[in-house]
Amino acid sequence: MTQKIRRLPSHLINQIAAGEVVERPASVVKELVENSIDAHATHIEVTLHEGGRSFIQIIDNGDGMSPADMTLAVERHATSKLPAEDLFNIQSLGFRGEALPSIGAVSRLSVTSSEKDSSEGWALKVEGGDVSKPSPAPYRKGTTIEVRDLFYAIPARLKFLKMSGTEVGHATDVLQKLAMAYPEIAFKLKTENRTIFNYLPKENQLDRLADIMGQDFADNALEISSTRDSVTVSGYAGLPTLNRGNAQMQFLFVNGRPVKDKVLTGAVRAAYQDYLARDRHPLLCLFLTLPALTVDVNVHPAKTEVRFRDSGLVRGLLVGSLRNALAGMGHQASTTVGDQALSSFQPNTFPQQRPTGFSPSGQNNPSITASWKQQSFNTPSHHRVAEPTSFQPEVRTETFQEADQELIDYPLGAACAQIHGTYIIAQAKKGLIVVDQHAAHERLVYEKMKTDLGKNGVKTQALLIPEVVTLDEKRLTLLLKKADELGQLGLVIEPFGNDAVLVREIPDIIGQADIISLVKDLADEIQEWGTASLLKEKIEEICSTMACHGSIRAGRKLTVLEMNQLLRQMEMTNSSGQCNHGRPTYIHLELKDLEKLFGRR
C-alpha cells in the first residue's frame, strides 16, 4: 500500500512558518524591534538597504543574550515570553517563538549579542535554515541582528515586493506606531542614503505624537483618560475641525500593541458622529490597557487583530471617554483654521511689469498712468478715481461701530460689523474673530434640540397597522437583544413568529421613513458593530436638518445687539466651534499675525 501522508522536512516547515510571519521587510522590522522592546532597550536603530530587500540591521542596547540563549532563540517554538506557559496571559509584544527561525529560513541571518552583566560578546549565523554554533565576538551592550538577501531561499516571494520606497514606507509605518507607544525609547531609521527619522526619548507622550502626527495635532488635541472596571483608555483625540478625508491618522493600541479592530474603529465613529460628516475622519491616538486574560492577541499571525472578552465594556468606555472630552471643549476650534485663513491672505502689491506709457525719464502718459493706478486698487468702476490719495471706502453706519470695550475681554470679543450679510466681525482682546452666523446658529439650535430630547424623551407615533419585518435567525436574535435600547429611542419592536419582528411604534421625528429598510439596516449594524447607533444617527441627522432650516440664514442683517447675543451663546454652548458637519463656525486671527501681514513685526 502506498503511503499518502508524510512528514514535511524541517526546512520546508520553517519556510511555511516564515510565510505567516514574514510578509515583507517591514514584517522583519516589526518582529525584531518588538523583541528589542521586550529586552528593555532604550535605544533602537534600524537600517535598510534597497527597502530591506538586501540588508536589514537592528541595533539595540537591551538585555542581550548568552550563547545558550542565542542557540535556542533560532529554534522554532522557543521563547522567553511565556514564563507561566499560559498562551492567554501574554505580557510582552512578541510571544510566538518563530520570528528568528522563520527569518533565518528565508534569508542570511546573523545575531551578535552581549549580556548586560557580561564582558563577552557572541555571534551566531543562520543561512537558509542552517544554524552555526555561537562564536566569540567583540563586546557591545545589547543585540545586533542583520538580515541579508531576504527571500533568497524562496525567490518566488521576491516578485511580490514593491519598489524600495514603498517598502521603506511600510517599515516607517511599523516603527512610528511602536514609537508612539514607547515615547521613552529612542528610535532611529536609516537607509543607505539618508536618515528617515531620529526620535529622541520623550517624557511626555504628546511630544512624541507631535514628532509623528505633526505639531498641529499636538496643538489641537484633547487629552483622554478614563477607567471603567479594570480597563483604562488614555491618549489624545483631535478637535473635530482638525479632520481628514480618510482614517490614516487614527492609531489604536491595546496593551502597547498597535492593532486594527472593528470594535475600536466603530467606537471612534460613534463618538464623533455628532461632530463630523460621514466622509470626514478625526485624528487621534488612543491606548487601551486591560488585563492580559481579558483580550486574545492570538487572532492573527502578525498580532494586528485582537478579540475582547467583553467588547461591549471596551466600546462603551471608548465612546464615553471621547464624548466627554468633546463635550468639554466648549466653543474651541482648532488653531489650524486661523492658520489656513492667514495663508490665503496676500499683501497688496503693485504689478512688477511696467505699464504702457511709462517712461524711465519720468515722462508718463497721464491718462494711462491714472488708469494703471485705478486698476492696482481694484475698485469697482463706479468708485474709481484718478488719484489713490482721494480713495475713500464706503462705510455702512448701520453695521459698523466701535467695539464695546466691556465685551472685548470675552473669548469671542465684541461685535463690530457684519459683512456680506453672513459674517460677523468681532474684536477680541488679542485679535480678530470672524463668525459664520448661519453655521454658528445652526450648532446652537441643534444642541438645544438634543438637550430637549434628552429631557423630554423621544416622542413616538403608534402605527395604525404594525409593520412586519422578516429577518434571518442570527440578525433577529441580535436585534431583539437591543429592543429595550431601541425603545428608548422611540422604536418599539417585539418578536413575531420565528423569523420576524413587529414594529408597533416609531420615533415621531422620522416621519414617513422606510421602516422595513431602517430595521434591516439596524440589524446589519448590530451584527457588524455590536451597536444600534444608526437610529440615533437618523434622529440626530433629522435634528441637524431641522436646525439648519431653523437657524439664522446667510444674508440676514443683524443688529450689533443680536450679533453680541450670538457670540455670548456660542461661548456658553459646547461644541459651538464647529457646525454639525465638522466645519469651523469661527476663525480667530491673533493680533501678532495681523501685524505680520502688514509688516509691523
Side-chain angles (χ1 to χ4, degrees):
M1 182 180 292
T2 304
Q3 186 175 353
K4 297 179 180 179
I5 300 176
R6 61 188 178 88
R7 291 187 179 89
L8 293 173
S10 58
H11 76 279
L12 192 56
I13 293 173
N14 284 341
Q15 288 181 1
I16 292 172
E20 294 181 349
V21 179
V22 185
E23 178 185 0
R24 62 191 337 139
S27 308
V28 175
V29 171
K30 179 180 183 294
E31 296 286 345
L32 298 182
V33 170
E34 285 182 349
N35 283 344
S36 296
I37 294 172
D38 285 338
H40 308 110
T42 59
H43 187 282
I44 301 172
E45 182 175 308
V46 180
T47 303
L48 305 176
H49 291 176
E50 296 184 83
R53 185 192 307 257
S54 63
F55 180 77
I56 303 172
Q57 182 188 66
I58 285 87
I59 302 174
D60 72 49
N61 64 345
D63 296 338
M65 294 180 286
S66 67
D69 285 337
M70 291 173 65
T71 302
L72 281 174
V74 294
E75 291 186 10
R76 292 191 68 214
H77 308 309
T79 182
S80 63
K81 313 291 179 62
L82 293 173
E85 298 185 2
D86 185 351
L87 190 60
F88 296 97
N89 189 16
I90 307 300
Q91 303 289 341
S92 60
L93 292 176
F95 65 89
R96 287 172 56 87
E98 293 187 8
L100 285 174
S102 296
I103 295 167
V106 296
S107 69
R108 296 181 172 90
L109 172 71
S110 66
V111 182
T112 305
S113 190
S114 303
E115 288 188 289
K116 62 180 179 180
D117 297 328
S118 172
S119 60
E120 299 177 317
W122 295 88
L124 176 148
K125 293 185 178 180
V126 184
E127 186 167 327
D130 296 329
V131 184
S132 70
K133 293 183 178 180
S135 59
Y139 172 82
R140 183 192 173 283
K141 180 183 178 182
T143 301
T144 299
I145 296 181
E146 292 183 355
V147 179
R148 299 178 184 272
D149 303 325
L150 184 63
F151 297 137
Y152 90 95
I154 44 174
R157 294 294 296 274
L158 287 171
K159 298 177 182 178
F160 293 92
L161 295 184
K162 305 300 182 182
M163 299 291 290
S164 295
T166 302
E167 297 300 337
V168 169
H170 286 294
T172 300
D173 182 61
V174 164
L175 274 176
Q176 285 183 329
K177 288 178 180 177
L178 290 171
M180 289 178 179
Y182 298 91
E184 70 279 5
I185 300 177
F187 289 87
K188 187 175 185 179
L189 174 61
K190 302 187 301 181
T191 66
E192 61 268 53
N193 299 321
R194 63 192 179 99
T195 297
I196 305 297
F197 61 73
N198 184 16
Y199 301 140
L200 300 178
K202 297 292 174 64
E203 295 182 2
N204 187 316
Q205 193 163 53
L206 187 58
D207 291 339
R208 174 59 60 82
L209 296 182
D211 288 340
I212 299 170
M213 299 179 69
Q215 190 60 45
D216 282 344
F217 174 77
D219 291 341
N220 298 282
L222 302 169
E223 186 172 6
I224 308 297
S225 181
S226 187
T227 299
R228 184 180 300 173
D229 294 340
S230 57
V231 184
T232 297
V233 61
S234 62
Y236 295 88
L239 293 171
T241 42
L242 183 68
N243 57 67
R244 287 195 169 189
N246 58 47
Q248 295 301 310
M249 291 294 278
Q250 292 181 10
F251 302 97
L252 303 169
F253 298 79
V254 175
N255 290 346
R257 188 191 310 278
V259 299
K260 295 178 180 179
D261 182 84
K262 67 178 184 180
V263 172
L264 304 182
T265 305
V268 171
R269 172 175 164 268
Y272 275 87
Q273 70 184 16
D274 205 17
Y275 302 92
L276 288 176
R278 281 184 169 269
D279 60 345
R280 304 303 298 178
H281 303 268
L283 283 67
L284 52 83
C285 184
L286 299 178
F287 301 88
L288 201 65
T289 305
L290 66 168
L293 291 173
T294 63
V295 57
D296 183 3
V297 296
N298 294 323
V299 178
H300 191 277
K303 299 167 290 191
T304 58
E305 298 177 10
V306 293
R307 183 182 294 116
F308 298 104
R309 178 181 294 178
D310 189 347
S311 60
L313 170 65
V314 172
R315 187 185 187 281
L317 175 62
L318 279 174
V319 173
S321 301
L322 287 169
R323 283 183 174 172
N324 286 340
L326 292 169
M329 66 185 170
H331 67 275
Q332 186 179 1
S334 68
T335 58
T336 56
V337 174
D339 293 339
Q340 292 167 359
L342 284 168
S343 66
S344 67
F345 279 94
Q346 295 293 332
N348 190 24
T349 56
F350 286 101
Q352 297 300 311
Q353 71 273 17
R354 289 172 178 171
T356 305
F358 181 85
S359 169
S361 62
Q363 301 298 319
N364 302 337
N365 183 319
S367 60
I368 294 179
T369 305
S371 174
W372 168 51
K373 289 181 179 180
Q374 293 165 12
Q375 293 170 10
S376 298
F377 278 89
N378 197 28
T379 56
S381 58
H382 61 282
H383 284 157
R384 284 183 184 170
V385 292
E387 296 296 333
T389 54
S390 64
F391 175 76
Q392 294 292 334
E394 181 184 31
V395 178
R396 297 182 59 179
T397 56
E398 70 274 17
T399 55
F400 286 78
Q401 71 163 33
E402 290 291 331
D404 188 330
Q405 296 300 310
E406 294 183 1
L407 300 180
I408 285 179
D409 286 341
Y410 279 87
L412 296 181
C416 299
Q418 180 192 38
I419 60 173
H420 295 291
T422 303
Y423 303 103
I424 298 169
I425 308 298
Q427 180 180 341
K429 189 172 184 179
K430 295 183 179 180
L432 178 72
I433 305 290
V434 183
V435 177
D436 182 331
Q437 66 186 41
H438 172 68
H441 196 240
E442 179 182 348
R443 170 57 79 171
L444 298 180
V445 173
Y446 179 51
E447 290 298 322
K448 186 178 185 304
M449 292 180 70
K450 286 199 305 176
T451 301
D452 292 343
L453 279 174
K455 290 180 179 179
N456 306 320
V458 179
K459 293 182 180 180
T460 65
Q461 58 170 305
L463 298 179
L464 185 62
I465 303 176
E467 194 77 59
V468 178
V469 183
T470 304
L471 297 165
D472 60 74
E473 183 179 357
K474 184 175 183 180
R475 291 192 301 163
L476 177 65
T477 302
L478 293 172
L479 184 66
L480 289 174
K481 285 182 179 179
K482 299 287 185 180
D484 290 342
E485 181 181 329
L486 294 173
Q488 294 175 4
L489 293 172
L491 185 69
V492 179
I493 62 172
E494 60 185 50
F496 187 75
N498 297 322
D499 61 351
V501 293
L502 198 67
V503 181
R504 292 197 174 276
E505 297 179 35
I506 64 173
D508 184 65
I509 196 171
I510 68 175
Q512 303 300 316
D514 185 339
I515 300 172
I516 294 178
S517 296
L518 175 63
V519 172
K520 288 185 175 181
D521 287 346
L522 281 168
D524 290 340
E525 183 185 41
I526 294 170
Q527 184 176 16
E528 182 175 2
W529 301 103
T531 181
S533 61
L534 181 65
L535 180 58
K536 185 172 184 293
E537 287 182 19
K538 182 69 176 176
I539 292 173
E540 290 178 345
E541 180 182 342
I542 294 170
C543 287
S544 178
T545 302
M546 292 171 64
C548 180
H549 289 284
S551 59
I552 297 172
R553 309 301 296 175
R556 175 183 163 184
K557 293 182 174 62
L558 302 178
T559 66
V560 172
L561 178 60
E562 289 173 326
M563 289 187 276
N564 279 318
Q565 286 177 338
L566 181 64
L567 297 178
R568 302 294 80 81
Q569 289 180 32
M570 290 175 65
E571 292 163 351
M572 294 185 294
T573 304
N574 286 330
S575 313
S576 62
Q578 54 275 313
C579 73
N580 308 341
H581 311 291
R583 294 189 295 269
T585 58
Y586 74 91
I587 295 171
H588 182 201
L589 304 178
E590 293 190 13
L591 184 59
K592 61 182 179 63
D593 295 321
L594 293 172
E595 290 173 341
K596 287 179 182 178
L597 284 175
F598 290 97
R600 290 180 174 271
R601 275 181 179 251

